[in-house]
């Protein structure tokens, strides 16, 4: 009993040491990255590269006049709207294609054709069809998300062990019960993987869409910086995109890890 009770007490200092070591390595890595960045900026000069200090000052200026916050909110709203729509459509379509062979044979040629066409090829058509407002940008994000989620979901359905389906069927499960008890639990980890990949692709697409037709957003901020010759604004926009993407991915991992752990989701 004494030995059992001592294990958690002994594990706490070790856990703290590992966390401290992890934070220390992160700090060292960030410091090294900043040092390399400063050296590159010093070598090439401000006309080609903004230094960390210049980027920080530009970020503060853009934050004070509201440009940075408005750009982040505009890009985040478009990305999350299009991405969520892509997941909501892609997951059920993927399950349907994975479960029904006739539908998979019918839709698979279109999925395999369109998923290789980059969204930027449709920017002009999206503007002509849906206007220069929010709809065209959200549609482009949806386009870049839905195929990744669909393909990953199909892979999840097809990876289900056939013996599990037969066993559930032999026990009297109908189609709805099979979907709820076998197909969905086995497919959810694949859907989450597809959703994370789609989120990354959404950030690639939003810059193209906002550069072509937008007054707000991080892509528009980067493009306007070119017109004013502000290299430091470009660095601010790039860093803001990276931090926004990192935050979105961490939120997905956090929510999926807590809410879907019972389905075997490990992120």
């Amino acid at each position: 009993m004494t030995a059992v009770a001592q294990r958690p007490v002994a594990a706490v200092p070790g856990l703290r040491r590992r966390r401290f070591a992890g934070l220390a390595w992160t700090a060292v890595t960030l410091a090294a990255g900043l040092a390399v960045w400063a050296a590159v900026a010093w070598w090439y000069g401000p006309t080609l590269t903004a230094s960390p200090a210049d980027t920080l000052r530009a970020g503060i200026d853009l934050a004070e006049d509201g440009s940075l916050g408005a750009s982040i909110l505009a890009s985040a709203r478009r990305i999350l709207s299009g991405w969520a729509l892509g997941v909501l459509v892609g997951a059920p379509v993927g399950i349907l294609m994975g479960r029904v062979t006739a539908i998979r044979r019918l839709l698979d040629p279109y999925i395999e054709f369109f998923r290789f066409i980059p969204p930027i090829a449709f920017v002009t058509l999206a503007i002509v069809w849906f206007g220069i407002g929010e709809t065209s940008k959200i549609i482009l994000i949806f386009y870049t998300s839905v195929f990744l989620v669909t393909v990953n979901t199909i892979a999840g359905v097809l990876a289900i062990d056939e013996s599990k389906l037969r066993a559930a069927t032999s026990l009297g499960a109908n189609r709805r019960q099979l979907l709820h008890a076998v197909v969905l639990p086995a497919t959810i980890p694949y859907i989450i993987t597809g959703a994370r990949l789609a989120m990354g692709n959404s950030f690639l697409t939003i810059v193209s869409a906002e550069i072509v037709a937008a007054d707000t957003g991080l892509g528009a901020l980067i493009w306007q910086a070119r017109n004013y010759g502000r290299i430091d604004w470009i660095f601010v926009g790039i860093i803001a995109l990276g931090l926004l993407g990192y935050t979105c991915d961490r939120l997905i991992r956090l929510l999926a890890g807590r809410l879907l752990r019972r389905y075997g989701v490990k992120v």
Side-chain angles (χ1 to χ4, degrees):
M1 181 66 186
T2 303
V4 172
Q6 285 176 346
R7 282 180 188 171
V9 176
V12 170
L15 181 61
R16 287 177 178 171
R17 281 197 297 273
R18 285 196 295 273
R19 286 180 177 175
F20 178 77
L23 290 174
W25 273 110
T26 302
V28 170
T29 302
L30 290 176
L34 286 174
V36 171
W37 178 8
V40 171
W42 172 80
W43 182 263
Y44 288 102
T47 56
L48 293 179
T49 309
S51 68
D54 292 338
T55 304
L56 179 61
R57 280 193 291 272
I60 292 173
D61 292 340
L62 291 172
E64 287 178 346
D65 67 16
S67 302
L68 184 59
S71 298
I72 292 174
L73 286 177
S75 294
R77 184 175 61 248
R78 292 161 184 158
I79 288 171
L80 292 177
S81 299
W83 170 81
L85 193 60
V87 175
L88 289 176
V89 173
V93 169
I95 291 175
L96 197 60
M97 290 179 67
R99 292 290 298 153
V100 183
T101 304
I103 294 178
R104 185 165 69 250
R105 288 175 178 171
L106 183 67
L107 297 182
D108 191 66
Y110 296 100
I111 298 288
E112 293 300 321
F113 176 78
F114 281 106
R115 74 187 185 93
F116 288 107
I117 302 176
I120 193 171
F122 290 104
V123 168
T124 304
L125 282 179
I127 294 171
V128 172
W129 289 346
F130 303 104
I132 59 173
E134 296 298 300
T135 304
S136 58
K137 300 167 189 61
I138 293 173
I139 289 294
L140 286 171
I141 301 297
F142 164 76
Y143 173 81
T144 201
S145 302
V146 68
F147 296 121
L148 278 172
V149 178
T150 301
V151 170
N152 273 275
T153 306
I154 294 172
V157 175
L158 296 180
I160 298 174
D161 191 346
E162 193 65 29
S163 61
K164 291 183 179 179
L165 297 170
R166 290 176 182 171
T169 304
S170 65
L171 291 173
N174 55 31
R175 288 178 179 270
R176 186 178 62 83
Q177 290 169 329
L178 270 180
L179 178 66
H180 182 265
V182 180
V183 176
L184 269 180
T187 310
I188 282 177
Y190 290 85
I191 295 175
I192 296 300
T193 300
R196 290 184 63 195
L197 293 173
M199 178 62 76
N201 266 24
S202 298
F203 276 81
L204 301 178
T205 303
I206 192 65
V207 174
S208 305
E210 290 179 344
I211 281 177
V212 174
D215 295 326
T216 58
L218 292 171
L221 174 66
I222 292 172
W223 189 249
Q224 290 165 6
R226 165 188 172 275
N227 296 332
Y228 291 104
R230 296 295 301 264
I231 298 293
D232 50 353
W233 288 7
I234 295 175
F235 274 69
V236 171
I238 291 171
I239 292 173
L241 275 172
L243 292 176
L244 183 60
Y246 178 81
T247 303
C248 290
D249 187 66
R250 293 295 296 181
L251 286 175
I252 294 173
R253 294 174 63 182
L254 180 66
L255 292 174
R258 292 194 175 185
L259 301 178
L260 304 174
R261 183 175 298 173
R262 59 178 173 162
Y263 296 113
V265 175
K266 296 178 180 178
V267 291

